[in-house]
Amino acid sequence: MRSQVLLALLPFLRTEAIRIIHANDDGWAELYTRSFHDVLIAAGHDTVLSAPAENKSGTASSDAEPSPRTTACQYNSCPANTNQPIGRNESSPRLNWVNSFPLTSMRYGIDAIAPPFWNGEAPELAVSGPNVGSNVYIQVHFSGTVGAAVFATKDRKVPAIAFSGLSSGNLAWNTTPIPTRSLVYAQVANKLVDAVVNSGKPYLPEDVFLNVNLPKVEGKCTDPNNFKFVLSRINVGLFSDKDVYHCGSDRLPLEAGVALSGDGCFVSVSVGDANDKTTAPKEKQAVVLNKLGGFFTCMP
């Protein structure tokens, strides 16, 4: 069944294949993450998942060495009493769990888990999520999904994208049939990955991450082709410097307003500063805008 789903997605998947490290904060067996992982693999990317053994939402940039696992992993996805700090799906060894926080999972993924798959090379891109639920404005500072992405770009100098989806409801990796929202989020997230990769290296400016919020999958927003991407900002900008000039203004729309607009299937894409998880300065916004060009649309 899963292979048939992936074959159905292949018309959407056209890009250069690269090495991608993948994490999240909802747990390694969460369906949104597994669907995205499947799409990245189907697109030809050399992708390795390294995510927490269980749901670790809201843990921000917490980091601690993983401890031996004594209970079963999320959704019984690993047996009890493994007594191991990290583990993997033996039939699909690119799927790995770390018994700690999202940031720790990203750290182990970059430093230890993924390199053997890549002959010791580093990842070219880090992705995190899609998170189950939004990560906008204040939520960004508490998000483990964002924390993992920020670590990748700030501490390991790997360009990173944090994805979140407003359609909530946690689901196990083996849920069948796969709900539309999980498939749609995977495809739409991959579109942005395509755009970033096809823009050429360096994919993003130094110490920058993209914070992406996808709207609810409902109505006309059940078709991946109807989603449109809007350049946005994370925090309110009343007292901050001007943004890059775009869509007739030097103040970008707030990501919360874009993703929660309820009309137009708009995806907010904010250029975040990895040093403080706020909006990056206009000079770095401009680099992203110049690279992605016509990929962005304007709000009505």
Side-chain angles (χ1 to χ4, degrees):
M1 175 62 184
R2 190 170 294 271
S3 62
Q4 293 174 342
V5 170
L6 293 179
L7 286 174
L9 299 181
L10 287 178
F12 296 98
L13 311 175
R14 298 285 186 269
T15 194
E16 175 189 353
I18 65 169
R19 299 182 301 276
I20 297 179
I21 186 68
H22 184 191
N24 78 346
D25 74 358
D26 293 305
W28 82 307
E30 183 61 46
L31 185 59
Y32 280 8
T33 295
R34 292 294 183 90
S35 292
F36 188 28
H37 178 82
D38 288 343
V39 167
L40 291 171
I41 291 291
H45 293 301
D46 202 349
T47 306
V48 177
L49 175 68
S50 177
E54 59 186 298
N55 190 331
K56 288 289 186 180
S57 295
T59 52
S61 293
S62 298
D63 188 14
E65 288 302 305
S67 58
R69 186 82 189 174
T70 56
T71 59
C73 292
Q74 178 186 38
Y75 305 125
N76 291 314
S77 53
C78 80
N81 297 314
T82 60
N83 293 315
Q84 298 296 320
I86 62 176
R88 67 182 185 180
N89 184 323
E90 293 300 332
S91 61
S92 299
R94 289 176 178 272
L95 302 174
N96 297 267
W97 57 264
V98 176
N99 194 35
S100 187
F101 297 107
L103 185 155
T104 312
S105 300
M106 181 67 84
R107 175 164 64 86
Y108 264 72
I110 293 173
D111 294 350
I113 294 172
F117 291 96
W118 300 331
N119 296 317
E121 293 191 85
E124 296 167 276
L125 181 70
V127 297
S128 187
N131 186 70
V132 180
S134 64
N135 277 309
V136 297
Y137 193 23
I138 297 299
Q139 293 172 320
V140 170
H141 296 273
F142 302 99
S143 166
T145 298
V146 172
V150 165
F151 171 83
T153 190
K154 185 174 187 296
D155 292 81
R156 293 298 184 268
K157 304 306 177 185
V158 179
I161 310 174
F163 292 97
S164 302
L166 271 69
S167 287
S168 59
N170 295 79
L171 297 165
W173 65 276
N174 56 355
T175 300
T176 55
I178 301 174
T180 300
R181 66 183 192 271
S182 191
L183 296 174
V184 168
Y185 281 158
Q187 294 173 64
V188 176
N190 186 73
K191 285 186 176 184
L192 181 57
V193 170
D194 279 1
V196 169
V197 172
N198 290 335
S199 74
K201 293 182 178 179
Y203 297 133
L204 295 172
E206 187 173 351
D207 288 343
V208 153
F209 71 101
L210 298 184
N211 190 53
V212 181
N213 280 271
L214 302 105
K216 286 187 175 181
V217 176
E218 57 188 14
K220 66 180 180 180
C221 302
T222 56
D223 182 347
N225 292 309
N226 289 337
F227 284 71
K228 298 178 283 291
F229 296 79
V230 174
L231 187 63
S232 56
R233 61 179 291 116
I234 295 173
N235 52 295
V236 176
L238 293 177
F239 303 105
S240 59
D241 293 337
K242 294 179 179 179
D243 293 320
V244 63
Y245 188 82
H246 182 54
C247 295
S249 175
D250 55 17
R251 178 62 73 214
L252 297 173
L254 283 175
E255 59 185 5
V258 173
L260 297 170
S261 65
D263 184 35
C265 307
F266 293 117
V267 180
S268 68
V269 181
S270 297
V271 184
D273 188 334
N275 294 294
D276 59 9
K277 302 180 185 178
T278 62
T279 305
K282 66 178 181 180
E283 292 79 12
K284 293 190 175 182
Q285 294 173 346
V287 173
V288 174
L289 180 59
N290 289 337
K291 286 175 65 65
L292 297 182
F295 185 74
F296 293 118
T297 191
C298 298
M299 293 286 287

